[in-house]
């Protein structure tokens, strides 16, 4: 099993930046991909970005050029750097780890508002 703890959410003005962190623990060797998803009120959870164990990345079209996913293997942590934030980026952001299972963190709230 994999345990995930997100941090770094908060309130930011439009055009601002935030960096989310996801610390992983447990059966880390079995993870082949990690990612960030988000869910806004009244909407389905959607993919934001993923990164494989080999370092390959994938982004949703609506964040390309603004968000960057990265990982620090020494710290067992995945990051999501979010720049040029918009009000429509407001959501709860969840970290996900894929192994034989799909593991989720508890989520961290990101609110973009003036």
């Amino acid at each position: 099993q994999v345990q995930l703890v997100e941090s770094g959410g908060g309130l930011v003005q439009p055009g601002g930046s935030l960096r989310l962190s996801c610390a992983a623990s447990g059966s880390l060797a079995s993870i082949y991909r990690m990612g960030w998803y988000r869910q806004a009120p009244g909407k389905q959870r959607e993919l934001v970005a993923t990164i494989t164990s080999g370092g390959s990345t994938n982004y949703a079209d609506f964040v390309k050029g603004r968000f960057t996913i990265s990982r620090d293997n020494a710290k067992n942590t995945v990051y999501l750097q979010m720049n040029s934030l918009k009000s429509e980026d407001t959501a709860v952001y969840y970290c996900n780890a894929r192994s034989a299972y799909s593991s989720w963190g508890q989520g961290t709230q990101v609110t973009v508002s003036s």
Side-chain angles (χ1 to χ4, degrees):
Q1 292 282 10
V2 175
Q3 294 78 44
L4 304 171
V5 178
E6 302 104 331
S7 60
L11 173 64
V12 63
Q13 292 186 342
S17 298
L18 281 175
R19 188 178 79 157
L20 305 182
S21 300
C22 173
S25 61
S27 302
L28 303 179
S30 62
I31 299 174
Y32 62 85
R33 187 176 70 226
M34 294 190 69
W36 288 95
Y37 292 72
R38 70 186 189 185
Q39 187 167 17
K43 295 187 177 181
Q44 291 188 334
R45 191 172 297 188
E46 59 183 359
L47 171 71
V48 175
T50 61
I51 185 165
T52 69
S53 56
S56 297
T57 58
N58 181 57
Y59 296 92
D61 287 344
F62 54 78
V63 301
K64 284 182 179 178
R66 300 190 299 125
F67 292 9
T68 302
I69 189 170
S70 62
R71 62 193 298 162
D72 184 333
N73 291 329
K75 296 182 178 179
N76 298 322
T77 300
V78 172
Y79 304 98
L80 184 68
Q81 178 66 43
M82 305 186 295
N83 299 328
S84 302
L85 283 161
K86 306 175 182 180
S87 58
E88 50 262 46
D89 293 319
T90 295
V92 178
Y93 284 70
Y94 296 91
C95 182
N96 174 262
R98 293 293 180 93
S99 56
Y101 308 93
S102 182
S103 303
W104 294 91
Q106 81 286 354
T108 185
Q109 176 70 47
V110 172
T111 302
V112 184
S113 175
S114 55

